Amino acid sequence: MDRNMLIHQGNTFEKVMETIDFTYYMDFSEGDDNGSVILFDRETRKLVSDNYMANRDLYENLLYYNYEWICKRLRYARKCMVEEHGIDLAKEYFLKHEKEFQRILCRSENITDKCNMALQKDLGFTLSRNDLQEVRKLLNSNQNKGLSM
């Protein structure tokens, strides 16, 4: 059997992701979140989880670009996730790093290059100029939601 495959409880799992600490395997034929992903510690190679927690952890690591390697199928899934959630992920990222990006987000001439460099480095994707303008609008609307007298 291929070293990127393993049998667990009678099902065949394919290696799909590696993070600093864990290796994830997925049974693509399994539709139930409780049994579709298994998670192993990379150092000890011991099973950590074979239930929905492994599935949830894989999803979050994929969404937040917290992995060292993903298989071809997950690269496509990641692309779809970014298309659907990219603006929200960027908004969350820039809110988290608000002080660092406050001046950049206020000046439209700097927004694309500097913001996309940060997004690429930390989240693994970039946005179009129009999408970054949308992020800026969302951030500005959040800042204006305070109490006014």
Side-chain angles (χ1 to χ4, degrees):
M1 180 171 278
D2 184 346
R3 66 183 187 97
N4 289 323
M5 307 287 273
L6 62 83
I7 304 291
H8 178 70
Q9 296 181 347
N11 296 324
T12 303
F13 288 79
E14 178 183 335
K15 184 162 103 174
V16 294
M17 178 188 286
E18 287 186 343
T19 66
I20 291 172
D21 299 315
F22 302 109
T23 301
Y24 298 79
Y25 291 83
M26 181 178 273
D27 177 359
F28 287 100
S29 68
E30 177 61 61
D32 183 1
D33 287 352
N34 282 318
S36 62
V37 177
I38 53 178
L39 168 63
F40 290 87
D41 184 287
R42 278 184 77 176
E43 187 176 320
T44 65
R45 299 179 189 245
K46 291 188 179 186
L47 179 67
V48 175
S49 177
D50 63 355
N51 58 32
Y52 78 96
M53 298 293 281
N55 190 299
R56 187 182 74 190
D57 199 55
L58 176 121
Y59 177 83
E60 288 178 5
N61 284 322
L62 189 60
L63 183 64
Y64 291 104
Y65 194 57
N66 184 26
Y67 53 84
E68 294 181 341
W69 173 86
I70 57 173
C71 70
K72 188 175 182 179
R73 285 185 184 189
L74 288 192
R75 283 194 301 266
Y76 178 75
R78 167 84 173 141
K79 179 182 178 211
C80 294
M81 292 167 91
V82 167
E83 287 174 3
E84 183 175 345
H85 302 289
I87 290 175
D88 290 331
L89 286 169
K91 178 184 168 193
E92 180 181 318
Y93 174 80
F94 291 125
L95 281 172
K96 185 177 177 182
H97 299 91
E98 187 174 7
K99 291 185 184 197
E100 183 181 345
F101 290 98
Q102 189 172 21
R103 284 186 36 232
I104 295 169
L105 289 169
C106 293
R107 303 166 112 189
S108 61
E109 67 271 6
N110 292 332
I111 194 169
T112 305
D113 293 339
K114 291 183 180 180
C115 291
N116 271 333
M117 283 175 30
L119 288 174
Q120 180 63 48
K121 178 182 174 267
D122 294 335
L123 294 177
F125 68 90
T126 60
L127 293 175
S128 70
R129 185 176 191 79
N130 288 340
D131 286 346
L132 285 169
Q133 295 291 351
E134 181 66 25
V135 169
R136 183 168 61 180
K137 286 179 196 172
L138 291 169
L139 291 172
N140 287 338
S141 70
N142 274 359
Q143 290 173 350
N144 296 331
K145 285 187 178 176
L147 294 174
S148 58
M149 298 182 110

